[in-house]
Structures are given as C-alpha cells and as structure tokens.
C-alpha cells in the first residue's frame, strides 16, 4: 500500500514537457524503479525488453525492425514475473532496459489508436464507467488494461475473439487489438527511438482492472469513427516475429 501511495503521488506530479503524461524524459533511475515495482505489485508480470540505441536497437539483430519494442529473451512468457526481488535484480543489472508485461496471465490489454482512445476515454468518463490503468504509447497508440479472460484448464471454456492479437499478427489489427494469451505490451516508462517517443501512464496501475466488455463497445465505436475519418490512412504496424 505504501508503494502504491507513493506511486500515485509521483504520477500526479506535473512533468515539464510531458503534455500531462508521465514522460520518460523526466524519469530518474529511482522513479523508474518505483514505476516498474508498482506495476509488479499491481500483479503485472514483467520481463526485460530491448531499448533504443541511437536510432537502432540494443539487440544484436542487424537492422532490427522493432527497436526497443521486443523482449530480450524468446522465453519472455516463462520469465515474466511479479517477484519484486527478480524485477529489482533486472533493473540493477539492465539499467537501460525497457520492460514488457505478458498479457493473458493477470490482465489483458485493449490497444487502440491514440486519437480513438482519447475519444473513448472521454465518453467512458462522461458515462461514469470505471476505467482501469491506461497508458499512452507516443505518438500513436493507447493501452487500456483490463481483467483477463484467463487461461482455463479446459480449452473449450476459453473464449476466442477475432480481435485477439499476438506479436506476429499486429499488422492484421490496425484498429483495435486485444492482447491476451501469448502477447505482451511495453510497460511505462519505456523509451522508443525518436523524439518524444515513449510509453507513459495516463492512469496508473493501482486502479482496479475492469471487465473488458465494459470498455469494448465504446472502444470499438471510437476506432470505427477513427477509421471512417481516415479512409486513406495507411497504418504501419511494426512488432517482432522473432530475432
């Protein structure tokens, strides 16, 4: 509780040049550690990810198509943990690393274009719908964290969805993506190549996770409006298949 309280206070502090988000440019090493440990304390399984190196990637892949956006290890699902000791060890050993959170274990993520996400968030707030943690992936995406459909013992009980998204299928979901089993998203405070490209909390991980269906209709409508307003909009999704 003490960590969550300090996290909430830190998130509410104004960050110069962050446009209201907790931008990574002002995040010190201690604050970065606090943010990631708060996410782990909230039950988000973490695993280390690559980070930008100039305009490239810290991984060894020449011409990496997704610099700073992919896990360090192919075993990221197995490595993902909420253990604060393991997370702290990674943070100290890899001070520049980004981190991903594995979805479909403790939470899912509804991933939408940023403009659609902001419109949906306004509508949900006006309607009095409880929204859980929300992160921005500057400059073009927004992440809504929700309760997960889980991983039941009986596979027949698992509810498949055409919106389900995995790292290798992101280009098939330019609008709304549903990250569940076998997928991941970057956690704040992650850095991406380019000016002002980062992942930051808009609403922090201490918030209760809502059921995804309470948000889905509003997010879907906002994405449909966004696509309708941009019939010639060309979407470029770049996430890794492998290294």
């Amino acid at each position: 509780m003490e960590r969550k309280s300090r996290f909430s206070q830190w998130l509410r502090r104004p960050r110069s040049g962050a446009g209201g988000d907790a931008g990574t440019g002002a995040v010190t090493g201690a604050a970065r550690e606090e943010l990631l440990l708060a996410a782990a304390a909230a039950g988000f399984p973490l695993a280390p990810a690559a980070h930008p190196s100039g305009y490239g990637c810290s991984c060894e892949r020449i011409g990496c198509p997704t610099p700073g956006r992919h896990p360090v290890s192919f075993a990221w699902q197995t490595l993902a943990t909420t253990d604060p000791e393991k997370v702290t060890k990674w943070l100290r050993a890899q001070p520049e690393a980004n981190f991903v959170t594995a979805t479909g274990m403790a939470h899912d993520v509804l991933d939408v274009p940023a403009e659609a996400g902001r419109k949906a968030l306004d509508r949900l707030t006006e309607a009095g719908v409880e929204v859980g943690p929300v992160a921005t992936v500057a400059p073009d995406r927004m992440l809504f964290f929700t309760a997960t459909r889980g991983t039941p013992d009986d596979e027949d009980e698992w509810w498949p969805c055409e919106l389900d998204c995995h790292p290798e299928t992101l280009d098939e979901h330019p609008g709304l993506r549903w990250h569940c089993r076998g997928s991941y998203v970057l956690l704040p405070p992650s850095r991406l190549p380019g000016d002002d490209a980062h992942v930051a909390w808009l609403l922090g991980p201490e918030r209760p996770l809502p059921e995804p269906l309470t948000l889905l209709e509003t997010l879907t409508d906002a994405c449909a409006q966004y696509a309708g307003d941009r019939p010639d909009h060309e979407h470029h999704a770049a996430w890794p298949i492998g290294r």
Side-chain angles (χ1 to χ4, degrees), residues 32-197:
R32 172 177 174 271
E33 183 172 308
E34 191 76 17
L35 284 166
L36 290 166
L37 287 173
F44 296 180
L46 275 65
H51 62 84
S53 178
Y55 286 91
C57 185
S58 63
C59 74
E60 297 179 355
R61 181 177 181 181
I62 298 175
C64 174
T66 56
R69 293 178 178 263
H70 59 82
V72 170
S73 170
F74 286 119
W76 56 270
Q77 290 186 78
T78 302
L79 291 174
T81 182
T82 60
D83 184 334
E85 291 186 3
K86 289 184 178 179
V87 173
T88 300
K89 185 177 180 180
W90 285 332
L91 285 164
R92 305 288 169 80
Q94 305 175 55
E96 294 187 85
N98 286 336
F99 278 79
V100 297
T101 180
T103 54
M105 296 181 182
H107 61 83
D108 288 355
V109 171
L110 298 173
D111 171 357
V112 299
E115 184 175 329
R118 292 188 183 278
K119 290 181 179 179
L121 185 57
D122 288 343
R123 294 171 188 170
L124 290 165
T125 301
E126 291 174 2
V129 177
E130 291 293 331
V131 178
V134 178
T136 57
V137 185
D140 58 357
R141 305 292 296 186
M142 187 176 288
L143 309 177
F144 289 77
F145 289 73
T146 72
T148 182
R149 287 175 288 169
T151 309
D153 294 333
D154 184 352
E155 287 293 314
D156 291 336
E157 295 180 3
W158 187 69
W159 171 37
C161 173
E162 66 180 7
L163 299 174
D164 289 346
C165 189
H166 299 88
E168 67 272 15
T169 63
L170 281 167
D171 57 347
E172 299 172 14
H173 300 271
L176 193 150
R177 305 164 179 166
W178 194 326
H179 296 272
C180 52
R181 296 189 307 173
S183 192
Y184 58 81
V185 297
L186 286 170
L187 266 182
S190 290
R191 298 179 297 112
L192 301 173
D195 296 334
D196 298 323

